[in-house]
């Protein structure tokens, strides 16, 4: 639910795009506390401002290869309370796996050309800042390729479809709308996923995040040895 002003650090090496995003986010009620163009500047800005979320491009100076997402992984390790939304034209599966290895909560990965509306981007920012997940379907597909699927194979096609949408950060209501089924039907599918993944209810029930992590690890996107309990 969008009911607060987000404090955002923006890391984008294109000056034109960076300035445009600052203006757009400001118009949508976000406070961009720092807008930078390099990975070191990103790390410094997050350390100084402690924002709700950092928006990070993958390819930044000086080599324009993976400086941004390397910095995102470093931020995740050092400041896990800060949400991270990778926003790029590229899918870097190896580094995305490392980013997700510490947990999917508070992580997003969107592709620039696939975000059709500013409202979608701002919704994803709020979701990530609140500890949710926002993964582009193409990112999920790339992470799945070539992985081992023993645990996921136990799911029915519909359960797998529901879990893929969960991995993208959708709520049960949103999943129901997309699949044109009742919310109660989605709840049954989600419950079946929890059962097949052996995720019993606990007092601090975070089974949804654990299910996504199990999904990503079972498909080879995340190294099981780096996942928490």
């Amino acid at each position: 639910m969008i009911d607060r002003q987000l404090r955002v650090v923006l890391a984008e090496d294109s000056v034109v795009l960076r300035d445009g995003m600052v203006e757009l986010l400001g118009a949508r009620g976000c406070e961009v506390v720092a807008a930078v163009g390099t990975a070191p500047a990103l790390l410094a800005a997050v350390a100084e401002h402690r924002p709700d979320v950092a928006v990070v491009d993958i390819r930044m100076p000086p080599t324009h290869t993976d400086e941004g997402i390397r910095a995102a992984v470093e931020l995740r390790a050092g400041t896990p309370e800060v949400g991270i939304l990778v926003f790029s034209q590229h899918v870097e599966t190896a580094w995305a796996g490392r980013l997700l290895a510490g947990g999917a909560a508070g992580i997003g990965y969107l592709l620039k050309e696939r975000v059709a509306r500013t409202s979608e981007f701002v919704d994803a920012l709020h979701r990530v800042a609140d500890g949710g997940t926002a993964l582009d379907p193409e990112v999920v597909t790339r992470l799945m390729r070539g992985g081992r699927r023993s645990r996921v194979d136990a799911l029915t096609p519909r359960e797998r479809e529901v879990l893929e949408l969960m991995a993208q950060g959708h709520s049960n209501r949103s999943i129901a709308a997309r699949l044109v089924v009742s919310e109660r039907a989605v709840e049954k599918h989600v419950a079946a996923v929890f059962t097949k993944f052996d995720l019993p209810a606990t007092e601090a029930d975070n089974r949804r995040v654990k299910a996504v992590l199990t999904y990503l690890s079972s498909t080879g996107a995340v190294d099981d040895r780096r996942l928490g309990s």
Side-chain angles (χ1 to χ4, degrees), residues 7-197:
R7 300 178 67 255
V8 180
V9 165
L10 173 63
E12 167 61 57
D13 67 305
S14 168
V15 175
V16 174
L17 182 56
R18 185 168 69 237
D19 289 349
M21 290 181 68
V22 169
E23 184 175 345
L24 285 172
L25 290 175
R28 292 281 180 168
C30 298
E31 180 188 3
V32 180
V33 295
V36 301
T38 68
L42 165 64
L43 297 175
V46 170
E48 178 181 354
H49 297 285
R50 297 288 170 159
D52 299 304
V53 62
V55 179
V56 184
D57 191 11
I58 287 178
R59 300 186 177 182
M60 305 185 75
T63 68
H64 296 278
T65 55
D66 56 10
E67 286 88 349
I69 198 164
R70 283 176 180 268
V73 171
E74 185 174 340
L75 288 176
R76 182 64 165 176
T79 53
E81 72 278 8
V82 176
I84 297 173
L85 178 59
V86 176
F87 191 48
S88 178
Q89 294 174 316
H90 311 281
V91 180
E92 296 286 350
T93 54
W95 281 103
R98 294 189 188 187
L99 185 61
L100 289 161
I107 294 291
Y109 196 140
L110 301 180
L111 299 179
K112 291 177 179 177
E113 69 273 16
R114 290 168 59 91
V115 176
R117 295 185 298 273
T118 305
S119 59
E120 294 177 358
F121 182 73
V122 175
D123 287 345
L125 274 182
H126 278 270
R127 191 185 311 150
V128 169
D130 290 337
T133 305
L135 300 178
D136 186 277
E138 178 63 20
V139 174
V140 173
T141 298
R142 298 279 190 91
L143 288 171
M144 287 177 62
R145 288 178 183 168
R148 58 196 187 284
R149 305 190 179 192
S150 57
R151 302 191 75 176
V152 176
D153 278 343
L155 304 179
T156 66
R158 179 60 91 182
E159 289 164 359
R160 185 190 295 246
E161 194 172 14
V162 168
L163 184 53
E164 287 178 358
L165 290 170
M166 286 170 59
Q168 294 166 29
H170 292 283
S171 64
N172 286 359
R173 179 175 297 180
S174 176
I175 293 171
R178 284 176 172 265
L179 298 182
V180 195
V181 297
S182 69
E183 193 169 347
R184 178 59 180 160
V186 173
E187 290 172 357
K188 290 181 178 179
H189 291 311
V190 171
V193 170
F194 291 158
T195 298
K196 291 179 180 180
F197 282 2

